[in-house]
Amino acid sequence: MLVSATEMLQKAKAGHYAVGQFNINNLEWTKAILQTAQELNSPVILGVSEGAGKYMGGFRTVQAMVEAMDKEFKITVPVATHLDHGTYEGCYKCIKAGFTSIMFDGSHYAIEENVAKTTELVNVAHALGLSIEAEVGAIGGEEDGVIGKGECADPDECKAIADLGVDMLAAGIGNIHGKYPADWEGLSFETLDAIQKKTGTMPLVLHGGSGIPEEMVKKAITLGVSKVNVNTECQLAFADATRKYVEAGKDLEGKGFDPRKLLAPGFEAIKATVKDKMELFGSVGKA
Ligand code: 13P
């Protein structure tokens, strides 16, 4: 059931669990995530970066695929199609394509411009029933060729952006996209605590959810994180399972080269990863 992310995140915040945002890259990803959410009776957010959207044939193609699968697989759990790290232009493209949620990443603008653009997009999104995420403080690592430094957000700036009426707020707390380096210092719970104190009931978003130790994720959820974004772990699980299949020579046995067989282990690996995360985030049975 396609819906905006507003209600599922408010319920998560009140219930002290988090909803997973799993980024999609193609049909296998979408099907694996939707079916796992339905099997576990969990709400879910399908994240689409601008790069992945382009790769899949544009946001309209993505939205049409998700809508069709939602019907075909009789998905009854709440599902949001969400633009991940959207530019100003990308937000409008997704609104036109029928997405149910957008993220405007204005973190690289000066705070005044971030505020002005976020305000405009909040009004447009809400008038159409979409939810909107904003970001304060760059999240580190590399995503779609954009390298962020990874900094801790200023709690006062978080409050200023939260007050614009966004539905969820991504705030840097030392988290980074992609694999965490061996010398990573961990999440700054001090910053998270200060942000939550300033922003009250606002659902907070933890980007870079792959590779964060489980105990840190759990603690972040107790401090107000209601959405955790995961991309890299599903990609690694898919690649690992596919490599094992090929290295075992299974693609050379019978019709093992059939994409439905070749991609099956990777598909199952995504499902297993999503299941583990939903259990960790506490969203199982919360649809
Ligand atoms: P990871 O790829 O590190 O899981 O981050 C995903 C993310 O935050 C998407 O916005």
Side-chain angles (χ1 to χ4, degrees), residues 236-278:
L236 290 170
F238 178 86
D240 193 44
T242 308
R243 178 165 23 78
K244 284 198 180 111
Y245 181 88
V246 173
E247 280 179 358
K250 295 208 174 143
D251 56 320
L252 303 172
E253 290 168 12
K255 290 259 279 171
F257 55 84
D258 180 330
R260 280 171 275 170
K261 294 203 167 94
L262 178 65
L263 300 179
F267 171 80
E268 292 299 336
I270 297 169
K271 285 194 74 184
T273 305
V274 172
K275 180 173 185 278
D276 283 353
K277 295 294 174 195
M278 287 178 165

Side-chain angles (χ1 to χ4, degrees), residues 195-214:
I195 293 169
Q196 139 119 322
K197 284 194 174 115
K198 290 263 177 193
T199 58
T201 54
M202 172 65 57
L204 302 174
V205 183
L206 181 63
H207 281 249
S210 297
I212 300 179
E214 293 198 352

Side-chain angles (χ1 to χ4, degrees), residues 147-163:
I147 314 240
K149 284 198 307 291
E151 55 185 56
C152 283
D154 172 2
D156 287 316
E157 285 191 7
C158 290
K159 166 131 182 67
I161 297 285
D163 285 348

Side-chain angles (χ1 to χ4, degrees), residues 51-74:
K54 199 168 163 196
Y55 172 78
M56 288 186 273
F59 297 127
R60 276 181 306 193
T61 307
V62 175
Q63 182 66 17
M65 172 175 69
V66 176
E67 282 177 15
M69 278 193 191
D70 186 64
K71 285 200 186 77
E72 199 66 35
F73 299 134
K74 300 187 172 49

Side-chain angles (χ1 to χ4, degrees), residues 21 23 47 49 84-85 103 133 139 142-143 175-180 205-211 227-235:
Q21 171 190 309
N23 284 47
S49 68
D84 190 26
H85 291 284
M103 172 184 186
E133 173 177 349
I139 288 155
E142 189 258 326
E143 198 177 50
N175 42 328
I176 59 172
H177 292 118
K179 288 186 182 177
Y180 282 83
V205 183
L206 181 63
H207 281 249
S210 297
K227 172 173 175 274
V228 184
N229 292 4
V230 177
N231 186 16
T232 303
E233 267 192 58
C234 289
Q235 296 186 349

Side-chain angles (χ1 to χ4, degrees), residues 5-6 9-10 125-126 130-134 165-169 202-203:
T6 308
L9 291 180
Q10 282 173 357
H126 285 174
L130 281 77
S131 46
I132 176 165
E133 173 177 349
V166 298
D167 303 284
M168 56 201 122
L169 184 71
M202 172 65 57

